[in-house]
Amino acid sequence: MRKLGKQEIEDIAVGAALLGTGGGGDPYIGKLMALQAIEEYGEITLLDVNEVPDDALVVPSAMMGAPTVMLEKAPGGEEATAAFKNLEAYLGKEIFATMPIEAGGLNSMLPLALAAKLGLPVVDVDGMGRAFPELQMVTFYLDGIAATPMVLADEKGNTSLLSTINNVWTERIARAATIEMGGSSMIAIYPMTGKNLKESGISNILKLEEEIGKSIRLAKQNNADPIKEVLKKANGFELFRGKVSDINRKTETGFARGVATFEGINEYKGETLEVRFQNEHLLAQTTDQRLLCVTPDLIAVLDAETGLPITTEGIRYGARCVVIGMPCHPKWRTEKGLETVGPKYFGYNVDYVPLEELVKKGVTA
Amino acid sequence: MRKLGKQEIEDIAVGAALLGTGGGGDPYIGKLMALQAIEEYGEITLLDVNEVPDDALVVPSAMMGAPTVMLEKAPGGEEATAAFKNLEAYLGKEIFATMPIEAGGLNSMLPLALAAKLGLPVVDVDGMGRAFPELQMVTFYLDGIAATPMVLADEKGNTSLLSTINNVWTERIARAATIEMGGSSMIAIYPMTGKNLKESGISNILKLEEEIGKSIRLAKQNNADPIKEVLKKANGFELFRGKVSDINRKTETGFARGVATFEGINEYKGETLEVRFQNEHLLAQTTDQRLLCVTPDLIAVLDAETGLPITTEGIRYGARCVVIGMPCHPKWRTEKGLETVGPKYFGYNVDYVPLEELVKKGVTA
């Protein structure tokens, strides 16, 4: 158990946005919400997953929807509380703690803000070890844990409590409701026991986020190369350096979908990289069909100078970026893991090859 | 209080389909479900609205979705029970009785089948006195009664419990969920007290349906003109006689929308009538712009020979039909009533004129 103060929040926000692989919402808004909650309600208690009693009820809190919409329609805080309280009433059991469902600028921060407000601890665990765009894309799903009962709440005061036969139906019905609610909603989902979490969650995710964020901050202070520091902390590989030459993005069926194109610079000159995304970056491939990294492995786009992560909605024409890859959690490399979040699921006609093998083949040109 | 047996069900089914103005679902499927339920569980108790205690909880049961989909995806019965039981559990109070939300082939019958199954009485009241396509289009809405908490259930086992800030949001979010559930769902909605019902419901609707159905049945037995008998019972007017020359129908955004065209016969020869619908018939106008009847007044299309009502999805090329009009309940002719279900709401660029005035101007050519 330890306390999270302002510096920890700052670092976690940066690291979470990086592991959010372009999605998971705007890190700036998320950070402000968490900082303001600490200001108002005091520091947040962070629990190790082993500190949670086996029978305790833990409920992740998250925002659902396209990050492009979240930018224009920031959550007020009331809807997260409403979703949480409705689910608690329905389950008839007190919620012991909350947690993030994924790593991401907004979705790592929102549970912290909610925890501060409600005086609950946060558990250092998530269900992805990164961000993914759909509700069933969590390790809990791989382990047969139900997403429902879940509650969606919007900023107007509408709520919807879902019980579904499986987590793919949860995603479908909740997505339809979220789109109708204006493109984003706050959700309380995957109510779990401490035992579920220990068996199925990805532990120490906030710790990792904090270390990544801290390494970028310290690199700046020490005039060191932030990219190098990040790669060390995140066990990652540099894949490409380039300037954004095109960004094609649209919000459809509740997601931000598109492709960002980078013209190579330095040793990558002459090559062109395309990064495809659905909320998150999912596929990095050169225009001559050389695969650099593909989902479920992590693709992050960093500012070449500051090392700070750039979200899909933050990619701007002309920006100089470094694209890095990081291996995903081993659970995603199983058969069911790849069925759930592999390239085929997203409609990409490539086979999954682990990042480490692609790197061996010579990712760096 | 009285009992409804098989003959009553047969008659109600016909009358309900007629007042359903083309919508409210297939009368044949609805009738079979109600008859089967009586067969299995015994006759149904029908209560007058004045026999319901003021504080008793009454919950309408209905199918939501496009009738075109309902035809292919008939409800099994389990989903109606699930919706009802979920809502009862949420409200923490026993449901005293059920009732139809509207008149219609399926939506007048389904509450009867559910009542038989659950051993509950049915109250002789509805919220439209006809059928309308959207959830807020009930007299309860005009009187400020909330549609939620409501529950949607599909045949797969998914349920969604909604609480919304107003009934227009109920319609929007429930419609989105229904579309995602495959185009139709069973709903338990507008939980009300006996007092609510007495003040806001349209009483004796099942009685009227039964009388209309009976008049058609007896006309056949007595070789009388069924159309004349119906017009007498329903306080209606003959508007047109014609042969279906075109039927344009598509299922979009969860509704069956389209237009049926009739070439005049007998005294209407030389005229062409277009009947526009969104699940229900909403506008009857000749191609030379003579308005015959418009929502909220009722437009029914009857088989010229048998007098039996034809639903929008049952209209067939070449069929000889009589189009009749009936005045709506006075609540629909108020300012809020016309805002909610008048021609402008449905996007028709005509002013509402009460049927009786149109008739005076000379509806019959």
Side-chain angles (χ1 to χ4, degrees):
Chain A
M1 193 197 97
R2 62 186 179 107
K3 293 283 179 181
L4 299 180
K6 289 188 176 181
Q7 186 59 65
E8 288 84 357
I9 298 294
E10 296 271 1
D11 290 338
I12 290 172
V14 171
L18 189 142
L19 295 180
T21 65
D26 184 84
Y28 185 69
I29 295 176
K31 191 178 73 176
L32 288 188
M33 288 183 70
L35 289 175
Q36 195 199 325
I38 285 193
E39 187 77 45
E40 199 166 338
Y41 304 102
E43 294 194 336
I44 298 155
T45 302
L46 184 69
L47 295 182
D48 187 86
V49 74
N50 293 312
E51 293 172 298
V52 181
D54 271 358
D55 63 345
L57 175 63
V58 180
V59 176
S61 173
M63 193 166 199
M64 178 167 191
T68 37
V69 173
M70 294 184 201
L71 269 178
E72 293 157 21
K73 186 163 164 286
E78 285 317 306
E79 53 271 40
T81 308
F84 222 63
K85 289 290 167 191
N86 273 25
L87 188 58
E88 192 170 50
Y90 178 79
L91 292 169
K93 191 180 169 185
E94 218 169 295
I95 295 174
F96 174 79
T98 189
M99 54 174 276
I101 191 99
E102 66 177 350
L106 209 47
N107 273 341
S108 290
M109 291 291 118
L110 289 174
L112 300 179
L114 182 67
K117 188 175 173 191
L118 299 182
L120 292 177
V122 174
V123 189
D124 193 357
V125 65
D126 81 348
M128 304 189 194
R130 50 165 296 165
F132 278 124
E134 300 181 14
L135 296 182
Q136 77 283 9
M137 296 174 170
V138 285
T139 49
F140 317 130
Y141 173 65
L142 303 185
D143 291 322
I145 297 168
T148 62
M150 75 165 284
V151 175
L152 294 100
D154 71 14
E155 74 291 350
K156 294 171 280 292
N158 299 307
T159 64
S160 175
L161 186 150
L162 298 184
S163 297
T164 57
I165 46 168
N166 62 46
N167 300 1
V168 175
W169 274 104
T170 317
E171 162 64 26
R172 288 183 60 169
I173 300 173
R175 185 73 53 186
T178 294
I179 291 170
E180 199 59 41
M181 285 169 167
S184 70
S185 66
M186 286 299 307
I187 58 175
I189 189 168
Y190 285 101
M192 276 176 289
T193 62
K195 190 158 183 292
N196 288 153
L197 271 190
K198 287 167 205 172
E199 289 169 0
S200 185
I202 297 181
S203 297
N204 298 317
I205 184 74
L206 289 160
K207 191 178 167 208
L208 176 61
E209 289 164 2
E210 189 182 348
E211 284 175 2
I212 291 172
K214 196 174 167 184
S215 72
I216 295 177
R217 174 168 55 88
L218 293 181
K220 193 184 171 189
Q221 286 179 14
N222 306 330
N223 284 318
D225 178 2
I227 310 286
K228 265 190 193 157
E229 298 302 314
V230 163
L231 293 177
K232 220 182 292 169
K233 286 287 174 206
N235 198 22
F237 303 92
E238 180 180 314
L239 303 178
F240 201 80
R241 282 176 186 254
K243 263 169 69 175
V244 180
S245 61
D246 193 40
I247 171 78
N248 192 327
R249 184 198 298 123
K250 56 181 168 181
T251 304
E252 54 176 16
T253 63
F255 297 106
R257 282 201 176 84
V259 53
T261 311
F262 301 83
E263 292 302 329
I265 52 175
N266 305 352
E267 67 265 42
Y268 304 91
K269 203 161 176 128
E271 278 200 296
T272 302
L273 177 69
E274 290 181 338
V275 175
R276 291 175 193 278
F277 54 85
Q278 176 184 328
N279 288 9
E280 281 73 40
H281 304 128
L282 297 172
L283 178 70
Q285 194 170 27
T286 62
T287 47
D288 55 0
Q289 304 298 306
R290 198 160 57 82
L291 182 65
L292 302 194
C293 188
V294 64
T295 180
D297 288 324
L298 288 71
I299 300 163
V301 177
L302 309 181
D303 180 288
E305 198 182 326
T306 63
L308 289 169
I310 304 175
T311 57
T312 57
E313 66 275 14
I315 295 178
R316 297 279 173 269
Y317 177 80
R320 296 168 85 89
C321 303
V322 181
V323 179
I324 69 169
M326 295 159 279
C328 65
H329 191 278
K331 287 204 179 198
W332 294 126
R333 292 181 173 182
T334 60
E335 195 182 332
K336 192 171 177 192
L338 289 173
E339 249 173 45
T340 308
V341 294
K344 294 286 188 297
Y345 180 87
F346 292 102
Y348 302 126
N349 192 24
V350 301
D351 289 319
Y352 174 69
V353 182
L355 174 64
E356 299 89 321
E357 287 181 35
L358 290 174
V359 171
K360 267 189 220 153
K361 278 201 226 166
V363 161
T364 47
Chain B
M1 193 194 95
R2 63 188 180 108
K3 293 284 180 182
L4 299 180
K6 289 189 177 181
Q7 186 58 64
E8 288 83 358
I9 298 295
E10 296 272 2
D11 290 338
I12 290 172
V14 171
L18 189 141
L19 295 180
T21 64
D26 184 85
Y28 186 69
I29 296 176
K31 191 178 75 177
L32 287 188
M33 289 184 68
L35 288 176
Q36 195 199 326
I38 285 192
E39 186 79 44
E40 198 166 340
Y41 304 102
E43 293 194 338
I44 298 155
T45 303
L46 183 68
L47 295 183
D48 186 87
V49 74
N50 292 313
E51 293 173 295
V52 180
D54 272 356
D55 63 346
L57 175 63
V58 179
V59 176
S61 173
M63 193 166 200
M64 179 168 191
T68 38
V69 173
M70 294 184 201
L71 270 179
E72 293 157 20
K73 187 167 164 282
E78 285 317 306
E79 53 270 41
T81 309
F84 222 62
K85 289 291 168 190
N86 272 25
L87 188 58
E88 191 170 52
Y90 178 79
L91 292 169
K93 191 179 168 184
E94 218 170 296
I95 295 175
F96 173 81
T98 188
M99 55 176 274
I101 191 99
E102 66 177 353
L106 210 46
N107 274 340
S108 291
M109 291 291 118
L110 289 173
L112 299 179
L114 183 67
K117 188 175 171 191
L118 300 181
L120 291 178
V122 173
V123 189
D124 192 357
V125 65
D126 83 348
M128 303 188 194
R130 49 165 294 163
F132 277 124
E134 299 180 14
L135 296 182
Q136 78 283 7
M137 296 175 170
V138 285
T139 49
F140 317 129
Y141 172 65
L142 303 185
D143 291 322
I145 298 169
T148 64
M150 75 165 284
V151 175
L152 293 100
D154 71 14
E155 74 291 353
K156 294 171 279 293
N158 298 307
T159 64
S160 175
L161 187 151
L162 297 184
S163 297
T164 57
I165 47 167
N166 62 46
N167 300 0
V168 175
W169 274 105
T170 316
E171 162 64 26
R172 290 183 59 171
I173 300 173
R175 186 73 53 186
T178 293
I179 292 170
E180 198 59 41
M181 285 170 166
S184 70
S185 65
M186 286 300 306
I187 58 175
I189 190 168
Y190 285 100
M192 277 176 290
T193 62
K195 190 158 184 289
N196 289 153
L197 271 190
K198 289 168 205 173
E199 289 168 359
S200 185
I202 296 181
S203 298
N204 298 317
I205 184 75
L206 289 160
K207 190 177 168 209
L208 176 61
E209 289 164 2
E210 190 182 348
E211 284 176 1
I212 292 172
K214 194 173 169 186
S215 72
I216 295 176
R217 173 167 57 88
L218 294 182
K220 195 183 170 191
Q221 285 179 13
N222 306 330
N223 284 317
D225 177 2
I227 308 285
K228 264 191 193 156
E229 297 303 314
V230 162
L231 292 177
K232 220 181 292 170
K233 286 288 173 207
N235 197 21
F237 303 91
E238 179 180 314
L239 303 179
F240 201 80
R241 282 176 186 255
K243 262 169 70 174
V244 180
S245 61
D246 193 39
I247 171 79
N248 192 327
R249 181 200 299 124
K250 57 182 168 179
T251 303
E252 54 177 16
T253 64
F255 297 106
R257 282 200 176 85
V259 53
T261 310
F262 301 83
E263 292 302 329
I265 51 176
N266 305 353
E267 67 265 42
Y268 304 92
K269 201 158 178 133
E271 277 199 297
T272 303
L273 177 69
E274 289 181 337
V275 174
R276 292 178 191 277
F277 54 84
Q278 174 183 329
N279 289 9
E280 280 74 38
H281 303 127
L282 298 172
L283 177 70
Q285 194 168 27
T286 62
T287 48
D288 54 1
Q289 303 300 306
R290 199 160 55 83
L291 183 64
L292 302 195
C293 188
V294 65
T295 179
D297 288 324
L298 288 71
I299 301 163
V301 177
L302 310 181
D303 181 287
E305 196 180 329
T306 64
L308 289 170
I310 304 175
T311 58
T312 57
E313 67 274 15
I315 295 178
R316 297 279 174 268
Y317 177 81
R320 297 168 84 88
C321 303
V322 180
V323 180
I324 69 169
M326 294 158 280
C328 65
H329 191 278
K331 287 202 179 199
W332 294 125
R333 293 182 171 181
T334 60
E335 195 182 333
K336 193 172 176 191
L338 289 173
E339 248 171 47
T340 307
V341 295
K344 294 286 188 298
Y345 180 86
F346 292 102
Y348 302 126
N349 191 24
V350 301
D351 290 318
Y352 173 69
V353 182
L355 174 64
E356 299 89 322
E357 287 180 35
L358 290 173
V359 171
K360 266 190 220 154
K361 278 200 228 166
V363 160
T364 47

